[in-house]
Amino acid sequence: MKHLTPLTLLACGSFNPITNMHMRLFELARDHFHQAGKYQVTEGIISPVNDKYGKQGLASAKHRLEMARLALETSEWIRVDPWESEQEQWSETVKVLRHHYKELLKSHCIRRLPGKNNWPIEKAAGASLASSLTDVNVAVRKIANLLKPDKEIIQDGDHMIIKTLSTFKNYIMDFDVGKEFEEDLTGVDDRKCMTCVTWDGDKLLCVQKGEKEDRGWTQWIEGDEMHLEIRACGVKCKQVFKKVQ
């Protein structure tokens, strides 16, 4: 029997109120993925937005949730989830996605390692770091595996600017060597950490203190190539960049 990848469909929005077309969209999406022959849709989730979204004429979350529950009474696979609406303020969609991804990890037969407080991480030689850290949302991990970024480095004494440029997102790191600073990784893995970059011989050594243990990177030049080794939680990956004229 052909292995099918389990898939959960998530829709965020005001649902003010929920309509037949909202539910029809789930049916159309499920049919599309099933026809592709690679996926098995296991459930659909409707996530009504928080009251703090500020949309004019937005009904209270408790009423929108109840309307959604009533509309879905006859559905065997679509459900309404109150988490987003119960937060203290409006949440960005990526945060909602991350929450549900973590919940799905817990419920789909992924077990904790004995005596450990972290989720198991696959350690494969040459594996992408993004694909190994299971709490980075699935969309970002898949995109990261396909990217071929460019690096632009500007140095003025101990002041450095490292630009990582790609079709998905550009990330600029502006720092002074040897001075710790707060690094905001919004759009990368949406974390913040205290970062310090120092020289280790002829290599740049970065240490990022935060939510993830042993996080950072090492960067060095060999001829016309720049090597970048990235690490976090005992997992490593390496990128090699070719100098262009």
Side-chain angles (χ1 to χ4, degrees), residues 63-83:
H63 294 311
R64 288 182 286 114
L65 284 167
E66 186 58 27
M67 286 188 286
R69 290 192 182 101
L70 290 172
L72 297 171
E73 280 184 341
T74 58
S75 177
E76 297 179 351
W77 66 282
I78 309 173
R79 63 180 175 87
V80 60
D81 189 281
W83 182 86

Side-chain angles (χ1 to χ4, degrees), residues 120-136:
I121 295 174
E122 180 183 359
K123 297 181 181 180
S128 165
L129 186 66
S131 66
S132 300
L133 296 178
T134 55
D135 60 348
V136 175

Side-chain angles (χ1 to χ4, degrees), residues 182-186 189-194 209-211:
E182 184 179 56
E183 186 176 7
D184 187 347
L185 294 161
T186 300
D189 63 2
D190 294 319
R191 294 187 174 93
K192 290 184 178 180
C193 55
M194 296 306 297
K209 299 176 183 177
E211 181 181 339

Side-chain angles (χ1 to χ4, degrees), residues 43-242:
E43 68 172 333
I45 302 173
I46 285 178
S47 179
V49 74
N50 185 276
D51 288 343
K52 296 290 182 66
Y53 182 62
K55 180 179 179 180
Q56 187 175 5
L58 186 67
S60 67
K62 66 177 182 179
H63 294 311
R64 288 182 286 114
L65 284 167
E66 186 58 27
M67 286 188 286
R69 290 192 182 101
L70 290 172
L72 297 171
E73 280 184 341
T74 58
S75 177
E76 297 179 351
W77 66 282
I78 309 173
R79 63 180 175 87
V80 60
D81 189 281
W83 182 86
E84 181 181 357
S85 65
E86 292 174 347
Q87 301 309 296
E88 293 183 356
Q89 58 185 6
W90 169 75
S91 301
E92 295 177 341
T93 300
V94 67
K95 294 180 180 179
V96 182
L97 288 169
R98 184 176 296 111
H99 163 76
H100 286 288
Y101 181 63
K102 289 180 179 179
E103 292 302 306
L104 289 170
L105 285 177
K106 296 176 184 178
S107 63
H108 282 71
C109 302
I110 299 180
R111 300 177 180 177
R112 294 179 183 269
L113 294 172
K116 300 289 185 180
N117 291 323
N118 60 309
W119 292 105
I121 295 174
E122 180 183 359
K123 297 181 181 180
S128 165
L129 186 66
S131 66
S132 300
L133 296 178
T134 55
D135 60 348
V136 175
N137 86 70
V138 65
V140 172
R141 289 189 288 123
K142 288 185 176 181
I143 291 171
N145 286 334
L146 297 174
L147 290 179
K148 294 182 179 180
D150 294 323
K151 288 279 187 181
E152 180 180 339
I153 301 174
I154 302 171
Q155 182 179 3
D156 182 10
D158 285 334
H159 183 73
M160 299 190 74
I161 300 174
I162 300 178
K163 300 179 181 180
T164 303
L165 312 173
S166 72
T167 54
F168 173 59
K169 184 177 180 64
N170 296 333
Y171 179 69
I172 300 176
M173 191 175 180
D174 190 328
F175 61 94
D176 291 313
V177 176
K179 293 184 179 181
E180 189 176 59
F181 65 97
E182 184 179 56
E183 186 176 7
D184 187 347
L185 294 161
T186 300
V188 180
D189 63 2
D190 294 319
R191 294 187 174 93
K192 290 184 178 180
C193 55
M194 296 306 297
T195 299
C196 186
V197 182
T198 57
W199 286 107
D200 181 14
D202 59 354
K203 297 181 179 181
L204 279 176
L205 176 64
C206 175
V207 175
Q208 297 166 313
K209 299 176 183 177
E211 181 181 339
K212 293 298 177 182
E213 297 180 358
D214 187 33
R215 176 173 179 165
W217 48 261
T218 303
Q219 180 176 292
W220 68 97
I221 303 293
E222 291 183 7
D224 289 337
E225 294 181 341
M226 187 190 78
H227 296 254
L228 177 63
E229 183 179 87
I230 308 170
R231 62 187 179 277
C233 303
V235 181
K236 293 182 180 180
C237 75
K238 187 175 182 181
Q239 296 176 329
V240 180
F241 296 82
K242 186 74 174 179

